[in-house]
Each structure stands twice: as structure tokens, then as C-alpha cells.
Amino acid sequence: MQNKEIKLPTIKQMLKRYNIKIHKSLGQNFLLDNNIANKIAKYSEPTKKTIIEIGPGPGSLTRSILQRNPQKLFAIDKDIQSKIMLTDLESVYPNKLRIITGDALDYPIWKLGSVPRQVISNLPYNVSTKMLTLWLKYINNFECLTLMFQKEVADRILAKQGSKHFGRLSILTNWLTKSSKLFDVPNSAFFPSPKVKSTVIQLRPLPKPLYNVSFDALEKITKMAFSQKRKMLKSSLNQLGGKKFLDELDISANLRPEELSIVDFCRIAEKAFES
Ligand code: SAM
């Protein structure tokens, strides 16, 4: 491990030194706790890999990743203030760190650098599910995603069939990846302290999806089924033919969407949109 960052000011000092304005609209809750940043970097094993960090902000996680000697670290933040705060760090790691100012949603991050490629991020919570859904479409370009979400969203991603949290996000994610919870993070680890709790999770692509169907078809069917979560499938899938359609697949029409398996969702999607 390298210890170059020791000469840098602390994150709190940087926020003060550069007179940083916190933008709530960009989901800015900055991690101040180095132990947590180090723990995230350690779990993701970034050494000699291409790492893409979304929303580095003042750079606590960025520092921890760089200490573990990645091949290259692309750090993308929408806020120009991040680039200003990371300039010192860039001069310590001139060949490793590349700072990009822009909206990560506009960036084909799955093409950056070379493989093995990982995403590591304390995500901006207001766009976290949008980002995840986009990256899942290109999941085979990544070795692993290590991501911090607000706890309630992490619970939805990790939820299993039958759970009240099971929904679109659980289905799309677990159809394509092995998902695991790493640890919870207390609100006190951030400035400003968020109202919601946080959880770090890790997603690793499965060798192949649980069932061969298109992303679009599965996205459409889960949207249809969960838009009326309390209703039985025969009602929510009425426009596809309701009970008759489900009988042909040997799926009980009286189930509610959270009771159905991921593979059965895929079978419905295939019949509805691909046959
Ligand atoms: N990684 C830093 C940390 O842990 O202290 C900051 C995390 S903060 C929760 C989220 C960061 O994402 C902010 O720095 C914010 O400016 C940035 N951000 C918000 N929306 C973004 C977007 N669409 N694309 C890239 N960065 C974004």
C-alpha cells in the first residue's frame, strides 16, 4: 500500500479551505470516516484494475482506492467543486487518477479503461436506482460493482422472492448478478449527516443470466406487474390476457407479484414480448 495521501489535508479541512457549497440536489453527503472508506476499498480489491468512481466529491473514497494501487481510477463528478478539491490528489497520482466533470448518466462508463473493470461509489441517492438500472444493461463489462445506497434501496435490491421488498430492482439485479450485503454505515459517518441510513452492497455478474430473455422485455413486465402491487397477476397482467395467459405458462393467476420467482417473470416476459 502507498501512503502518499498522508500529506493531504483532511476532508473537513478541504471543505473549509475551498469554501465548498453543499448541493442537496446532487445528493451530497460526504464520507468523513476514513475507516469506512478504507473498508469499502478493501472489499472491492481494486489493485491493478480499472476503477470507475462515481461522485468522488472531496475524495475520501478516492484516496482509499488510490492507496490500493489500481491500474487507473476514473473519477466522475457532476459538480466542478469536486475537481477543484481533487486537484492536489491528482498531482500526487498524476498517472493513475483521471478526473472527469460531468453527469455519469451520460457516460458510457462500461467502456472506460480496460478489463477487469469495477465501479466503486458512494452513490448520489437521488439517481442511484437510475444509475444501477443503466449499468445492469452492460453488466458483463464489469467485474464487480461495490456501491453504497440508502438502506431502504439496498433492501429492495437484495430482497428475495416472497419478501415485501421484492420488486423490479431485486428482479433485474438478481437475474444478472450475485448480490451481497457488505455492511451498514451510520449516518454519523457523513457530513452533512443524511436522514436515511446507508448500506454498502456488492454485485458480481453471474456467468450467464438466470434465464435468457431481453432486458427490455423483463423491464416492461416487471413494470406492469408491480405498478399494481396489491393486485393479483391475473388483474395486473390483464392486458396480456390475464388468467388464460398465465394458465398457459402454468403459473397461478392468483399470485401477487412479490410471490413470483425471477425465472417465472422471465418466462412471462418471453411469452409476452418475444414469441
Ligand atoms: N464519494 C464522496 C464521499 O463518499 O464522500 C461523495 C458522495 S456523495 C453521496 C455523491 C456525489 O455524487 C457528490 O459528490 C455529487 O456531486 C455527485 N453526483 C451527483 N449526481 C451525479 C451525477 N449524475 N453524475 C456524477 N456525479 C454525481
Side-chain angles (χ1 to χ4, degrees), residues 57-95:
S60 56
L61 194 49
T62 323
R63 292 179 184 192
S64 299
I65 297 167
L66 285 165
Q67 272 189 281
R68 292 188 168 267
N69 194 25
Q71 160 90 13
K72 183 101 188 169
L73 170 56
F74 296 90
I76 310 175
D77 205 298
K78 202 170 173 179
D79 187 354
I80 185 72
Q81 295 185 111
S82 172
K83 189 174 173 63
I84 295 166
M85 289 188 280
L86 294 181
T87 306
D88 290 345
L89 195 60
E90 200 177 24
S91 61
V92 182
Y93 295 93
N95 301 316

Side-chain angles (χ1 to χ4, degrees), residues 11 23 25-32 37 40 53-62 76-80 82 85 100 102-106 121-127 131 148 190-191:
I11 298 296
H23 296 295
S25 61
L26 290 175
Q28 291 182 339
N29 298 100
F30 299 129
L31 191 57
L32 299 183
I40 296 172
E53 187 193 355
I54 307 301
S60 56
L61 194 49
T62 323
I76 310 175
D77 205 298
K78 202 170 173 179
D79 187 354
I80 185 72
S82 172
M85 289 188 280
I100 300 171
D103 187 336
L105 282 165
D106 294 338
S121 177
N122 167 13
L123 287 170
Y125 292 166
N126 47 342
V127 281
M131 286 182 172
M148 189 177 334
F190 303 92
F191 176 80

Side-chain angles (χ1 to χ4, degrees), residues 17-151:
R17 174 183 295 185
Y18 294 107
N19 195 18
I20 296 302
K21 194 170 169 348
I22 304 281
H23 296 295
K24 270 194 178 168
S25 61
L26 290 175
Q28 291 182 339
N29 298 100
F30 299 129
L31 191 57
L32 299 183
D33 188 324
N34 288 336
N35 292 327
I36 291 172
N38 288 337
K39 204 165 151 186
I40 296 172
K42 188 172 168 206
Y43 267 113
S44 53
E45 301 172 8
T47 308
K48 296 200 175 136
K49 296 171 184 169
T50 294
I51 305 299
I52 298 140
E53 187 193 355
I54 307 301
S60 56
L61 194 49
T62 323
R63 292 179 184 192
S64 299
I65 297 167
L66 285 165
Q67 272 189 281
R68 292 188 168 267
N69 194 25
Q71 160 90 13
K72 183 101 188 169
L73 170 56
F74 296 90
I76 310 175
D77 205 298
K78 202 170 173 179
D79 187 354
I80 185 72
Q81 295 185 111
S82 172
K83 189 174 173 63
I84 295 166
M85 289 188 280
L86 294 181
T87 306
D88 290 345
L89 195 60
E90 200 177 24
S91 61
V92 182
Y93 295 93
N95 301 316
K96 294 261 172 217
L97 176 61
R98 185 163 154 222
I99 302 164
I100 300 171
T101 301
D103 187 336
L105 282 165
D106 294 338
Y107 247 87
I109 62 162
W110 48 92
K111 290 186 186 163
L112 286 174
S114 53
V115 289
R117 183 187 291 114
Q118 295 193 359
V119 182
I120 305 178
S121 177
N122 167 13
L123 287 170
Y125 292 166
N126 47 342
V127 281
S128 63
T129 59
K130 201 169 175 189
M131 286 182 172
L132 175 61
T133 312
L134 173 65
W135 302 333
L136 283 173
K137 290 186 183 161
Y138 302 93
I139 195 67
N140 288 329
N141 294 275
F142 301 110
E143 177 193 54
C144 161
L145 313 179
T146 307
L147 305 172
M148 189 177 334
F149 287 90
Q150 69 184 80
K151 186 176 181 310

